[in-house]
Amino acid sequence: MKINSNLNLKQSQVNNTNLNEAENKFKDLLEQEASTKTDQKDEQLKAVSQEFESIFLSMMFKQMRDATLKSDLLDSGLSREVFEDMYYDQIAEDAASREQLGIAEAVYQQLSNNS
C-alpha cells in the first residue's frame, strides 16, 4: 500500500510538472503572437503614415501647379493634365519614401501614441 501511494504521489507530481510546462509554453506562444501582431500593426501604421505624406505632397504639388500662370504656347489638353498628375504623384511618393520631411513620422507618432 505504501508503494502505491508513493507511486500515485510521484505520478501526480509529474502530471503537475507537465501541466505547468504546457501552461508556460502556451503563455509564451500567446506573448509571441501578441508581439507579432503589434509589430505588424506598427509596420502597417508606418506604411499608412508614409502614404499620407505622399498624398499630402501630391496635393501640395498640384496646388502649386494650379497657382502658376498658364500659357497657350504649349498644349494644355487632357493628356498633359493626366501626365502631370501622374508625374506629381510619383514625385510625391519618392519624396515621402526618403523620410526627410518628417510628416509621416509625426503622423505615426500621433496615431501610435509613442513619444
Side-chain angles (χ1 to χ4, degrees):
M1 192 80 112
K2 224 175 193 185
I3 295 173
N4 285 341
S5 65
N6 284 341
L7 183 61
N8 287 337
L9 182 62
K10 285 183 181 181
Q11 284 178 344
S12 174
Q13 289 173 344
V14 168
N15 287 340
N16 282 340
T17 303
N18 288 340
L19 183 62
N20 288 338
E21 288 176 8
E23 183 180 355
N24 289 336
K25 286 181 182 179
F26 182 70
K27 286 180 181 178
D28 289 342
L29 286 173
L30 286 177
E31 289 174 4
Q32 288 175 354
E33 185 176 333
S35 68
T36 302
K37 284 184 179 180
T38 302
D39 291 343
Q40 289 174 346
K41 285 183 181 179
D42 279 347
E43 290 300 318
Q44 289 175 342
L45 186 56
K46 286 180 183 179
V48 168
S49 299
Q50 189 172 5
E51 183 67 24
F52 174 81
E53 182 174 0
S54 174
I55 291 169
F56 176 80
L57 289 173
S58 178
M59 291 174 65
M60 183 180 73
F61 291 150
K62 289 174 187 174
Q63 288 298 317
M64 290 169 53
R65 177 193 65 200
D66 292 343
T68 60
L69 297 174
K70 303 288 184 203
S71 170
D72 290 333
L73 185 60
L74 298 173
D75 180 29
S76 60
L78 181 64
S79 60
R80 180 184 174 115
E81 187 177 324
V82 170
F83 172 78
E84 285 181 346
D85 284 344
M86 290 179 4
Y87 176 74
Y88 288 127
D89 288 342
Q90 187 62 43
I91 294 293
E93 256 182 61
D94 290 344
S97 68
R98 293 183 185 166
E99 300 177 2
Q100 293 179 346
L101 296 176
I103 296 171
E105 182 63 27
V107 170
Y108 172 77
Q109 292 295 328
Q110 183 68 29
L111 295 178
S112 67
N113 294 326
N114 293 334
S115 299

